[in-house]
Amino acid sequence: EEVQETREEKENVGEENWVEVDHFPHIEEEEEEEEEKEKLDEKAFLARVRDRHWNAAYYLKNSTPAVQADKQCVLAAVEAKGHALKYASFSARGNSEVALAAVRTNRGALTYVNKRASIWAQMGFVFSMVKLNGFALEYAALYIKGDKEVVMAAVGEDGHKVIQYAHPKLHTDKDVWIAAVQKGGDALLYAND
């Protein structure tokens, strides 16, 4: 019963007891100032990443769009923390040098590489990338997926699990499967005649 009375009392509080405030200008100004402090120009960004490399992803996330698109800034951030690539501009995530640096630092950064970028049609890029993370083969242009040397490099990095991304003509290639078995003996469970 007490709970019921308390609810009724709360519901019956008149509007005259409430003060409606649309806007707190001093709070908004403080928030804007804080945001501006976090937004660093390219030079300040690079200095901060050099001094505090462990926070590189945070700094890139909270930087200006110009910094997030600047190759030098993004490269510095991903060399410190590969997953900082997540906060780079779409075009920067499609830069071959930036993408390779990010995955070299953290192979999981492959998740953030621009999968629609033209770099996936460049043999040299894909070959370098699959040596870092064999699963990159999934995003390569079809003609590269059919290159035995590239597929062998991917298999050498991540075993039989990446063969599914190779061109079908290589799915039954003896050399590819030998490389897979050398990487991990359980590959034979997945081999076709």
Side-chain angles (χ1 to χ4, degrees), residues 5 12 70 84 86 114 124 134 169-170 176 190:
E5 289 175 14
N12 292 328
D70 183 86
K86 177 179 183 178
N114 178 347
K169 72 180 185 180
L170 294 174
V176 170
Y190 301 95

mmCIF file of all heavy atoms in Angstrom, residues 5 12 70 84 86 114 124 134 169-170 176 190:
data_model
loop_
_atom_site.group_PDB
_atom_site.id
_atom_site.type_symbol
_atom_site.label_atom_id
_atom_site.label_comp_id
_atom_site.label_asym_id
_atom_site.label_seq_id
_atom_site.Cartn_x
_atom_site.Cartn_y
_atom_site.Cartn_z
ATOM 1 N N GLU A 5 0.818 4.393 -2.685
ATOM 2 C CA GLU A 5 0.654 5.796 -2.319
ATOM 3 C C GLU A 5 1.802 6.642 -2.858
ATOM 4 O O GLU A 5 1.591 7.749 -3.339
ATOM 5 C CB GLU A 5 0.579 5.929 -0.788
ATOM 6 C CG GLU A 5 -0.706 5.394 -0.205
ATOM 7 C CD GLU A 5 -0.694 5.424 1.316
ATOM 8 O OE1 GLU A 5 0.188 6.099 1.893
ATOM 9 O OE2 GLU A 5 -1.549 4.764 1.914
ATOM 10 N N ASN A 12 0.847 12.801 -9.015
ATOM 11 C CA ASN A 12 0.015 13.965 -8.747
ATOM 12 C C ASN A 12 0.798 15.245 -8.538
ATOM 13 O O ASN A 12 0.216 16.276 -8.222
ATOM 14 C CB ASN A 12 -0.877 13.710 -7.518
ATOM 15 C CG ASN A 12 -1.918 12.640 -7.789
ATOM 16 O OD1 ASN A 12 -2.380 12.499 -8.912
ATOM 17 N ND2 ASN A 12 -2.271 11.892 -6.769
ATOM 18 N N ASP A 70 45.081 12.187 -43.174
ATOM 19 C CA ASP A 70 46.489 12.473 -43.461
ATOM 20 C C ASP A 70 47.316 11.184 -43.370
ATOM 21 O O ASP A 70 47.367 10.538 -42.321
ATOM 22 C CB ASP A 70 47.016 13.514 -42.459
ATOM 23 C CG ASP A 70 48.440 13.906 -42.747
ATOM 24 O OD1 ASP A 70 48.632 14.808 -43.575
ATOM 25 O OD2 ASP A 70 49.354 13.287 -42.150
ATOM 26 N N ALA A 84 44.260 1.201 -34.640
ATOM 27 C CA ALA A 84 43.934 2.619 -34.836
ATOM 28 C C ALA A 84 43.396 2.851 -36.240
ATOM 29 O O ALA A 84 42.714 3.847 -36.499
ATOM 30 C CB ALA A 84 45.171 3.486 -34.599
ATOM 31 N N LYS A 86 40.983 1.666 -37.537
ATOM 32 C CA LYS A 86 39.522 1.770 -37.424
ATOM 33 C C LYS A 86 39.062 3.226 -37.491
ATOM 34 O O LYS A 86 37.977 3.522 -37.979
ATOM 35 C CB LYS A 86 39.084 1.145 -36.096
ATOM 36 C CG LYS A 86 37.621 1.229 -35.801
ATOM 37 C CD LYS A 86 37.311 0.562 -34.470
ATOM 38 C CE LYS A 86 35.837 0.566 -34.163
ATOM 39 N NZ LYS A 86 35.540 -0.130 -32.901
ATOM 40 N N ASN A 114 40.152 -1.022 -46.050
ATOM 41 C CA ASN A 114 39.106 -0.766 -47.040
ATOM 42 C C ASN A 114 39.078 -1.917 -48.047
ATOM 43 O O ASN A 114 40.001 -2.072 -48.838
ATOM 44 C CB ASN A 114 39.386 0.574 -47.722
ATOM 45 C CG ASN A 114 38.392 0.924 -48.794
ATOM 46 O OD1 ASN A 114 37.602 0.098 -49.243
ATOM 47 N ND2 ASN A 114 38.432 2.173 -49.228
ATOM 48 N N GLY A 124 51.564 -7.098 -55.790
ATOM 49 C CA GLY A 124 52.571 -6.871 -54.747
ATOM 50 C C GLY A 124 51.950 -6.621 -53.385
ATOM 51 O O GLY A 124 52.414 -7.156 -52.367
ATOM 52 N N GLY A 134 46.992 -14.459 -43.763
ATOM 53 C CA GLY A 134 46.554 -15.259 -44.906
ATOM 54 C C GLY A 134 45.108 -15.039 -45.286
ATOM 55 O O GLY A 134 44.720 -15.214 -46.447
ATOM 56 N N LYS A 169 40.566 -23.546 -59.093
ATOM 57 C CA LYS A 169 41.565 -24.402 -59.755
ATOM 58 C C LYS A 169 42.689 -24.823 -58.797
ATOM 59 O O LYS A 169 43.372 -25.806 -59.043
ATOM 60 C CB LYS A 169 42.156 -23.706 -60.988
ATOM 61 C CG LYS A 169 43.104 -22.561 -60.669
ATOM 62 C CD LYS A 169 43.661 -21.922 -61.919
ATOM 63 C CE LYS A 169 44.689 -20.858 -61.547
ATOM 64 N NZ LYS A 169 45.248 -20.206 -62.711
ATOM 65 N N LEU A 170 42.864 -24.081 -57.703
ATOM 66 C CA LEU A 170 43.917 -24.416 -56.741
ATOM 67 C C LEU A 170 43.406 -25.212 -55.538
ATOM 68 O O LEU A 170 44.186 -25.616 -54.685
ATOM 69 C CB LEU A 170 44.623 -23.146 -56.268
ATOM 70 C CG LEU A 170 45.423 -22.410 -57.342
ATOM 71 C CD1 LEU A 170 45.948 -21.086 -56.801
ATOM 72 C CD2 LEU A 170 46.559 -23.265 -57.864
ATOM 73 N N VAL A 176 49.764 -26.970 -52.843
ATOM 74 C CA VAL A 176 49.029 -26.134 -51.881
ATOM 75 C C VAL A 176 48.691 -26.957 -50.642
ATOM 76 O O VAL A 176 48.875 -26.504 -49.506
ATOM 77 C CB VAL A 176 47.757 -25.529 -52.529
ATOM 78 C CG1 VAL A 176 46.874 -24.867 -51.488
ATOM 79 C CG2 VAL A 176 48.131 -24.543 -53.633
ATOM 80 N N TYR A 190 40.640 -32.004 -44.439
ATOM 81 C CA TYR A 190 39.866 -31.176 -45.360
ATOM 82 C C TYR A 190 40.243 -31.378 -46.820
ATOM 83 O O TYR A 190 39.630 -30.829 -47.709
ATOM 84 C CB TYR A 190 40.040 -29.698 -44.998
ATOM 85 C CG TYR A 190 39.597 -29.422 -43.579
ATOM 86 C CD1 TYR A 190 40.530 -29.431 -42.545
ATOM 87 C CD2 TYR A 190 38.281 -29.206 -43.279
ATOM 88 C CE1 TYR A 190 40.140 -29.211 -41.238
ATOM 89 C CE2 TYR A 190 37.867 -28.990 -41.978
ATOM 90 C CZ TYR A 190 38.801 -28.991 -40.959
ATOM 91 O OH TYR A 190 38.403 -28.780 -39.670
#
